[in-house]
Amino acid sequence: MSKISYEISQNNNELILLKEGKKTPLLTSFWYMEFGKTCAEIKEDNDKLLYSVTKKFQFWKWKMVYLIFKNGGEKSILISQNTRNTVFKIELLNSVYQIKVNYKKKKSIYKDTTKIAEFDESFLATNNIKLLVADSGELQILFLLYTSLFIGINDLKSKTALKSQKQLEKNTEAWF
């Protein structure tokens, strides 16, 4: 199965999804603070709002939670599955999506236990994030999930790293 390559360009509090080698944005997202909460909006290239996301931390469970609202009014919750915040799960469009934060600045996304995408943040010199997908039909959801995890990070290079790689999940199906 061939993989489709995309790039995500990051500029302060904005992410822009581009087809690799192209300059026309496919999707954009930006985040901001609103009444003590960090929020994000995901838009199409024609500035049409697709999703809005609110990031919250549940102290009593010690987990990150992302409230996702589709423009049509549907509500979903992306929630951490462990206290290290390395595995997240959400039910969207009759499927279960799971995000795993892997070694070497990579994130894998699974749909119903099948890997559908891999993000690679190790390209710091270009300030771009590489995205490989199995099917471009999932692009909006993949960008939504990645943006959710990225909310509040203003500079990719200054992102705080975990002290030990042992805290991260194993990447069993590396695509890069």
Side-chain angles (χ1 to χ4, degrees):
M1 175 180 7
S2 65
K3 309 292 185 267
I4 305 166
S5 296
Y6 293 92
E7 291 181 3
I8 299 175
S9 174
Q10 191 254 340
N11 183 13
N12 291 327
N13 62 338
E14 181 180 35
L15 293 175
I16 301 169
L17 179 69
L18 309 162
K19 180 82 171 158
E20 192 170 50
K22 306 287 184 187
K23 297 197 185 249
T24 307
L26 300 172
L27 298 168
T28 60
S29 66
F30 69 96
W31 52 92
Y32 53 90
M33 290 291 291
E34 182 177 86
F35 303 114
K37 295 179 184 172
T38 309
C39 303
E41 292 182 351
I42 292 92
K43 296 182 178 184
E44 284 183 311
D45 59 344
N46 59 5
D47 214 30
K48 178 185 171 197
L49 180 66
L50 297 173
Y51 295 97
S52 59
V53 182
T54 303
K55 177 181 178 180
K56 296 170 83 178
F57 183 75
Q58 290 183 341
F59 286 105
W60 57 92
K61 293 184 180 179
W62 208 253
K63 294 181 180 183
M64 291 303 300
V65 174
Y66 301 88
L67 303 173
I68 298 173
F69 301 95
K70 192 172 181 177
N71 194 18
E74 295 177 39
K75 178 182 172 183
S76 301
I77 299 174
L78 175 66
I79 189 163
S80 174
Q81 301 298 303
N82 58 19
T83 56
R84 297 183 322 259
N85 293 321
T86 59
V87 178
F88 294 85
K89 194 180 274 189
I90 186 170
E91 287 188 33
L92 269 174
L93 307 172
N94 300 323
S95 297
V96 176
Y97 291 88
Q98 188 174 26
I99 305 169
K100 292 184 179 181
V101 179
N102 305 123
Y103 295 103
K104 299 181 182 177
K105 299 185 179 186
K106 294 183 181 180
K107 292 178 176 66
S108 301
I109 298 186
Y110 296 84
K111 177 181 179 181
D112 299 326
T113 68
T114 303
K115 187 172 184 174
I116 61 170
E118 184 172 284
F119 294 90
D120 188 355
E121 299 171 349
S122 64
F123 297 93
L124 293 179
T126 62
N127 207 27
N128 285 345
I129 299 141
K130 300 285 183 191
L131 167 62
L132 279 180
V133 299
D135 178 20
S136 61
E138 304 278 343
L139 209 53
Q140 286 183 357
I141 293 172
L142 295 172
F143 190 66
L144 163 70
L145 296 175
Y146 186 76
T147 297
S148 298
L149 296 184
F150 213 85
I151 293 174
I153 299 171
N154 290 330
D155 187 9
L156 187 61
K157 293 176 185 171
S158 68
K159 184 177 174 182
T160 58
L162 294 172
K163 294 178 183 174
S164 171
Q165 290 280 316
K166 291 179 183 177
Q167 296 177 1
L168 301 175
E169 304 300 318
K170 290 184 180 178
N171 192 355
T172 56
E173 299 177 46
W175 286 359
F176 286 96

